[in-house]
Amino acid sequence: MEHDDNSQHHVQIIAHGGRADVTIDGKQVDPSAVKAYSISHLAGEQPEVLLHVADRNDAQWSGTARVAVADLPDPGPAAAVFLDAIDPEALERAALARPDLGTEPCSLTKAMLTQLGEWARGL
């Protein structure tokens, strides 16, 4: 992949423990071709991804890709909508009927939070 200062490429890196899957512009990079990568972002500048190739002779791309970094969405508004839709009576019934409801302090609150989490995940 050729690079010039005006081009931008979509880079996706999914790390799995000690290895990572790297995709550039939708094309999977051979995992054995990348020995390391680093991501940097200085205030006021474009973020950069630097890929260190394992063997330059087999590399089919070179250069630096500029990437955009998206902020994770604030979960607060979605959580507020979810909680506003909860029927308090239904939550209390469900929490009291849970087989894992304990007798220790705060067990009802714990059961309610567990129930809310399950409902949020669609369980």
Side-chain angles (χ1 to χ4, degrees), residues 3 6 19 22 32 37 39 42-43 48 50 54 56-57 60 65 76 81 83 87 93 96 100 106 114 116:
H3 174 77
N6 296 322
R19 66 176 203 69
V22 179
S32 66
Y37 65 89
I39 302 171
L42 300 173
E48 291 186 349
L50 179 59
R56 290 187 186 272
N57 295 331
Q60 296 180 5
V81 169
L83 292 173
D87 176 356
R93 273 195 316 271
L96 289 171
D100 59 350
C106 302
T114 301
L116 287 170

Side-chain angles (χ1 to χ4, degrees), residues 3-122:
H3 174 77
D4 64 55
D5 289 337
N6 296 322
S7 68
Q8 292 189 14
H9 302 280
H10 180 264
V11 178
Q12 180 179 15
I13 299 173
I14 301 173
H16 307 279
R19 66 176 203 69
D21 295 324
V22 179
T23 305
I24 301 175
D25 294 333
K27 296 177 185 170
Q28 181 76 29
V29 175
D30 179 1
S32 66
V34 178
K35 66 179 179 180
Y37 65 89
S38 60
I39 302 171
S40 64
H41 185 196
L42 300 173
E45 295 183 17
Q46 291 289 324
E48 291 186 349
V49 175
L50 179 59
L51 300 174
H52 302 271
V53 295
D55 183 356
R56 290 187 186 272
N57 295 331
D58 293 335
Q60 296 180 5
W61 44 269
S62 63
T64 301
R66 297 192 184 278
V67 297
V69 177
D71 290 330
L72 293 176
D74 179 7
V81 169
F82 171 75
L83 292 173
D84 285 344
I86 298 298
D87 176 356
E89 189 176 326
L91 174 59
E92 187 172 317
R93 273 195 316 271
L96 289 171
R98 291 185 64 84
D100 59 350
L101 176 63
T103 57
E104 63 275 356
C106 302
S107 61
L108 180 58
T109 302
K110 181 179 177 184
M112 287 182 167
L113 291 171
T114 301
Q115 185 66 48
L116 287 170
E118 288 178 0
W119 283 348
R121 289 186 296 279

